[in-house]
Amino acid sequence: MRVAFVGKGGSGKTTLSALFARHLARSGAPVLAIDGDINQHLAEALSPGTEPVTAPPLAARLTELKDFLRGSNPRIASPEAMIKTTPPGRGSRLLRLLGDDEVHARHVVRAGDVPLMATGEFEESDLGVACYHSKLGAVELYLNHLVDSPGEYVVVDMTAGADAFASGLFTRFDLTFLVAEPTRKGVSVYRQYRDHAREFGIRLAVIGNKITGEDDLLFLKEEVGDDLLTHLVHSPWVRAAEQGRAQGELEQHNRHALTVLREAVDARPRDWPTLHRHAVEFHLRNAHAWADRATGLDLAAQVDPEYVPGPTPRP
């Protein structure tokens, strides 16, 4: 199951991504955390109080990733013909979560108890000539070609604000958790996400964060209504961890909130046809908007009309 954490900058989405990934890992569940934020802090959040590891950036070897994933798909002539939205088809190489393949072997490291993959930082050479979505394309390709199963989890810390809607990546998840502080600014991103998510049938659940009292909780309930799934109270444990002196356990209420998140994810069945339909739709949008001109190809021809991915691809 695939989960995205989004929200306003500073809302705590990286912290929540890390807490949830660690919660899953400690239960024994297969889990992969992906740092898809322009500010790469997930490794540090996953292993508080220790020297954070550095995952080899997925975006740095994008051409090799494309070449591996296209496999023997006759609709994709070369890695250069493959863009971030290119969906899999017959002959494509599909990935199993944390499988024995070169993508996972090259790009996954352990951050504390959790396997971690990172998009990569925004480098000086990118300034003024590239946007971060060119790097997030590597994550989109990875998720497009991933065949994950119930009881397996991918947890992605996304870019802040509503910026994720600049690509089709926001459709790659079974459930999107929006982390909201109990302030007007905190819920403003929620409204943007809610409207876009409804357009595409994307399931959105709100996590209240940094709640200090009943007034905070009532404010969020009034602003987001039934979309409010659960909340975390202000956490001295998290503050201590961020200062490099984590001790003891996360507060009981906050541990329970993580359990609620997992229950919500597990209750959301995967709809492979809809997931693939969204992938195809955004691929055709990108082909028409810019990619056909950039490649000199008709990239609509990359869509295999008889193919739907899943544990047993059809046909």
Side-chain angles (χ1 to χ4, degrees):
M1 306 299 286
R2 307 171 188 181
V3 182
F5 281 82
V6 301
K8 182 182 71 66
S11 63
K13 64 181 183 59
T14 298
T15 298
L16 266 292
S17 299
L19 288 175
F20 187 56
R22 294 173 67 193
H23 175 75
L24 295 170
R26 289 179 176 180
S27 76
V31 57
L32 172 66
I34 301 180
D35 195 340
D37 193 356
I38 190 171
N39 298 307
Q40 301 268 287
H41 297 311
L42 187 57
E44 183 177 355
L46 286 169
S47 52
T50 65
E51 187 67 26
V53 298
T54 300
L58 193 64
R61 305 182 77 161
L62 186 56
T63 299
E64 293 176 36
L65 175 66
K66 291 177 178 179
D67 201 33
F68 178 82
L69 294 177
R70 73 186 182 94
S72 60
N73 187 334
R75 295 175 176 272
I76 308 172
S78 68
E80 291 73 26
M82 195 173 184
I83 63 172
K84 62 181 182 178
T85 56
T86 297
R90 284 167 289 187
S92 297
R93 284 195 179 98
L94 301 180
L95 302 168
R96 298 285 177 172
L97 187 67
L98 301 173
D100 184 17
D101 58 73
E102 64 182 62
V103 176
H104 291 100
R106 286 175 177 171
H107 296 285
V108 175
V109 298
R110 293 197 72 85
D113 300 329
V114 182
L116 170 69
M117 183 182 288
T119 308
E121 295 181 340
F122 201 65
E123 300 175 356
E124 185 176 351
S125 60
D126 297 320
L127 297 177
V129 297
C131 71
Y132 195 65
H133 299 292
S134 62
K135 297 182 182 295
L136 284 175
V139 177
E140 192 166 352
L141 281 169
Y142 173 82
L143 293 178
N144 275 349
H145 291 78
L146 178 66
V147 181
D148 48 327
S149 302
E152 299 177 338
Y153 303 89
V154 181
V155 178
V156 183
D157 180 22
M158 294 282 284
T159 53
D163 202 38
F165 285 105
S167 75
L169 183 58
F170 76 96
T171 67
R172 302 295 82 209
F173 303 101
D174 299 294
L175 187 56
T176 296
F177 290 130
L178 189 143
V179 183
E181 297 172 273
T183 65
R184 290 182 177 179
K185 289 183 178 179
V187 299
S188 63
V189 173
Y190 157 75
R191 294 192 183 95
Q192 292 177 292
Y193 248 93
R194 176 196 61 194
D195 294 344
H196 291 307
R198 285 176 178 172
E199 181 180 355
F200 293 95
I202 304 302
R203 172 75 191 282
L204 181 69
V206 175
I207 307 169
N209 195 29
K210 306 178 186 178
I211 303 299
T212 60
E214 190 65 23
D215 287 345
D216 285 350
L217 192 55
L218 286 174
F219 173 83
L220 280 179
K221 287 180 178 179
E222 291 173 356
E223 293 293 331
V224 308
D226 292 341
D227 283 342
L228 182 62
L229 175 65
T230 189
H231 70 279
L232 283 82
V233 298
H234 177 74
S235 173
W237 186 92
V238 167
R239 177 56 58 88
E242 290 174 343
Q243 294 174 350
R245 52 181 183 85
Q247 296 181 0
E249 292 288 337
L250 185 69
E251 298 81 10
Q252 182 178 356
H253 175 90
N254 292 338
R255 294 201 305 271
H256 174 70
L258 298 177
T259 300
V260 172
L261 300 188
R262 182 173 183 175
E263 290 172 348
V265 174
D266 290 343
R268 180 72 174 176
R270 168 66 54 76
D271 184 346
W272 282 106
T274 298
L275 191 74
H276 188 60
R277 175 172 54 81
H278 282 150
V280 169
E281 177 182 350
F282 277 88
H283 178 65
L284 296 178
R285 285 187 179 204
N286 278 268
H288 177 73
W290 64 271
D292 283 355
R293 293 192 301 275
T295 62
L297 301 170
D298 176 13
L299 296 186
Q302 292 181 342
V303 176
D304 187 340
E306 304 299 325
Y307 179 85
V308 177
T312 304
R314 303 190 301 273

